Amino acid sequence: QVHLVESGGGLVQPGGSLRLSCKASGINFKLYTMAWYRQAPGKQREPVATITTSSSTTYAESVKDRFVISRDNVRRTVSLQMNSLEIEDTAVYYCNVNYSGRPYWGRGTQVTVSS
């Protein structure tokens, strides 16, 4: 019954910004670390950012100082503000939570950075 739904992807020019959101249901949201992953063509899925129950954050080195992850425990959402986007950020972005010992994923949202 865990359900994650992403929104906010799209086409943006290099240097632009996008904000992704993920709405979670089926879990007591405030008790779980949430994460964003991405998968580019021909590459492994990789973690982009995580946020703990106390709002401590981690980022992949490639996105530090450009992306910001946040959460809203009332709305049960986790967001990813992406700034100064680069062509290399092009990927499908997935919302993730580890629940009862296994990962759950949203369907993903496409982010394309292109001129």
Side-chain angles (χ1 to χ4, degrees), residues 19-22 36 68-71 75 77-81:
R19 185 175 179 88
L20 307 182
S21 294
C22 170
W36 285 96
V68 179
I69 189 171
S70 60
R71 69 190 296 155
R75 295 168 52 224
T77 60
V78 58
S79 297
L80 186 69
Q81 178 67 46

Side-chain angles (χ1 to χ4, degrees), residues 4 10 22 27 30 33 45 74 80 85 102 114:
L4 305 173
C22 170
I27 60 170
K30 68 179 185 296
T33 291
R45 189 172 298 187
V74 175
L80 186 69
L85 282 161
R102 83 165 185 88
S114 176

Side-chain angles (χ1 to χ4, degrees), residues 6 9 22 37 41 44 56 58 90:
E6 302 98 335
C22 170
Y37 283 66
Q44 301 272 2
S56 296
T58 69
T90 296

Side-chain angles (χ1 to χ4, degrees), residues 47-104:
V48 176
T50 68
I51 184 164
T52 71
T53 57
S54 59
S55 293
S56 296
T57 59
T58 69
Y59 297 93
E61 190 66 31
S62 59
V63 308
K64 284 181 179 176
D65 303 317
R66 298 190 297 119
F67 291 9
V68 179
I69 189 171
S70 60
R71 69 190 296 155
D72 186 329
N73 289 338
V74 175
R75 295 168 52 224
R76 298 179 297 168
T77 60
V78 58
S79 297
L80 186 69
Q81 178 67 46
M82 305 186 294
N83 301 315
S84 301
L85 282 161
E86 302 167 356
I87 292 173
E88 294 76 18
D89 296 317
T90 296
V92 178
Y93 284 71
Y94 297 91
C95 185
N96 163 266
V97 62
N98 287 121
Y99 175 75
S100 293
R102 83 165 185 88
Y104 287 82

Side-chain angles (χ1 to χ4, degrees), residues 2-32:
V2 180
H3 196 215
L4 305 173
V5 180
E6 302 98 335
S7 63
L11 175 65
V12 65
Q13 294 186 13
S17 297
L18 284 174
R19 185 175 179 88
L20 307 182
S21 294
C22 170
K23 174 72 173 178
S25 59
I27 60 170
N28 192 347
F29 179 82
K30 68 179 185 296
L31 301 181
Y32 291 89

